[in-house]
Amino acid sequence: MSLATQDSAIRTGRVTRTLIYLVLLLFALFYMLPLYVMVVNSVKPLDEITGGGMMNLPQVFTLEPWAKAWSSAQIGVDPTGLKPYFWNSIKMVVPAVIVSTVLGALNGYVLTKWRFRGDTILFGLMLFACFIPFQIVLIPMARMLGLMGMAGTTWGLVLVHVVYGIGFTTLYFRNYYAVFPTELIRAAQIDGAGFFQIFWRILLPSSGPIAVVSIIWQFTNIWNDFLFGASFAGADSQPMTVALNNLVQSSTGVKEYNVHFAGAILAALPTLLVYIVAGRYFVRGLMAGSVKG
């Protein structure tokens, strides 16, 4: 290849990369535009927004909308803000994530290291549960919660999310444990280790990457869920998403858009922080069990 041809190829490559970066930058700006609107308008006085300056930077910076959204906004009957509903979501998400992750790990352990007749069929049925639409399970789940006396409670919501999430967590751990050396399990059995000893001392300590995947997935899905919270929660157990909807849809008084934007950011902040802190481990955990050897 001549020198002129090499220079032409280099220039073409630079132009191509530049165009690709420009297109990606355009898409990034388009994707970030809603977040910009929310953040900017959450720190403005209401009159700046109603005056037609929604896209403009704030002339007067204020955190009063954030304080009001958190502690004194009108949600339902009382001006409680989002604070009590935030803690309702925490009390729902934490046990649901822990229980579904541990049960998924146990299921993956059994389905890969303690094989039995029909285990593939059972795994297929659990995998099928991942694709059942939420709407189909509303009436049966409501009936079961009523029979168990858990309707309208936080623990009822925990049960719903554990049942619906266990298929996903089982899938993650089953694929991860499938490439775990079975020889280690056999050696532990020869040394006298039992079912739970092998699980707690050998498999679980090595399950960090896939546990992070399961926790991020479950935390995000449960925190962002609206349908189950609106269908099964009582007045004292409503999660953050339901309270945010009630705040935005309130028909009393003036529509305080700055408070609504602040409330939306508060509702999205936990999942955003989870992805910022542990997002890079999500793909790494998914890839950890994808290649054998």
Side-chain angles (χ1 to χ4, degrees):
M1 180 181 293
S2 65
L3 183 60
T5 304
Q6 291 179 352
D7 292 341
S8 177
I10 291 173
R11 286 196 298 269
T12 302
R14 288 175 180 173
V15 171
T16 302
R17 285 199 301 271
T18 303
L19 289 175
I20 291 175
Y21 290 150
L22 288 175
V23 172
L24 291 176
L25 179 61
L26 180 63
F27 277 110
L29 292 175
F30 181 78
Y31 184 79
M32 295 294 291
L33 182 61
L35 180 60
Y36 166 80
V37 173
M38 291 172 62
V39 172
V40 167
N41 288 280
S42 69
V43 293
K44 287 181 182 178
L46 183 59
D47 56 355
E48 286 191 34
I49 300 175
T50 55
M54 182 172 287
M55 298 296 296
N56 300 333
L57 292 173
Q59 298 177 3
V60 178
F61 182 87
T62 176
L63 292 177
E64 183 180 352
W66 288 74
K68 186 170 184 178
W70 177 252
S71 60
S72 61
Q74 188 74 33
I75 301 176
V77 179
D78 300 319
T80 59
L82 293 173
K83 181 178 179 180
Y85 304 97
F86 176 87
W87 294 115
N88 285 345
S89 290
I90 291 293
K91 289 186 287 186
M92 173 188 68
V93 168
V94 172
V97 169
I98 293 174
V99 172
S100 60
T101 298
V102 172
L103 289 179
L106 279 170
N107 288 341
Y109 170 45
V110 171
L111 291 172
T112 55
K113 305 307 177 186
W114 297 78
R115 302 289 300 273
F116 56 90
R117 181 176 297 178
D119 62 338
T120 304
I121 298 175
L122 177 61
F123 176 65
L125 292 174
M126 298 187 71
L127 191 61
F128 176 74
C130 298
F131 303 98
I132 297 177
F134 285 6
Q135 293 82 355
I136 293 179
V137 303
L138 290 181
I139 295 178
M141 190 67 72
R143 177 62 175 165
M144 292 303 301
L145 291 177
L147 291 175
M148 292 185 291
M150 301 175 69
T153 65
T154 299
W155 287 109
L157 287 174
V158 170
L159 177 63
V160 170
H161 287 296
V162 167
V163 169
Y164 205 88
I166 198 171
F168 291 101
T169 58
T170 299
L171 171 65
Y172 297 148
F173 280 96
R174 188 262 183 190
N175 291 343
Y176 186 80
Y177 289 155
V179 299
F180 190 87
T182 305
E183 292 78 9
L184 293 179
I185 308 299
R186 300 289 179 260
Q189 289 176 318
I190 293 174
D191 290 339
F195 177 88
F196 285 105
Q197 283 182 310
I198 295 174
F199 177 71
W200 290 110
R201 297 185 179 182
I202 298 178
L203 278 179
L204 203 58
S206 65
S207 303
I210 203 64
V212 171
V213 172
S214 178
I215 290 170
I216 292 176
W217 176 269
Q218 283 294 90
F219 183 91
T220 303
N221 283 342
I222 297 172
W223 186 275
N224 291 337
D225 172 70
F226 173 78
L227 182 61
F228 287 157
S231 302
F232 303 130
D236 297 329
S237 60
Q238 290 180 345
M240 190 84 160
T241 50
V242 177
L244 178 63
N245 177 74
N246 294 339
L247 170 64
V248 175
Q249 298 296 332
S250 176
S251 59
T252 60
V254 179
K255 289 286 186 180
E256 297 180 297
Y257 299 108
N258 51 355
V259 177
H260 297 171
F261 284 126
I265 297 174
L266 286 171
L269 202 56
T271 52
L272 181 63
L273 291 176
V274 166
Y275 272 103
I276 290 175
V277 173
R280 65 180 181 273
Y281 300 109
F282 187 80
V283 176
R284 187 182 305 175
L286 287 175
M287 296 297 295
S290 61
V291 180
K292 188 171 183 178

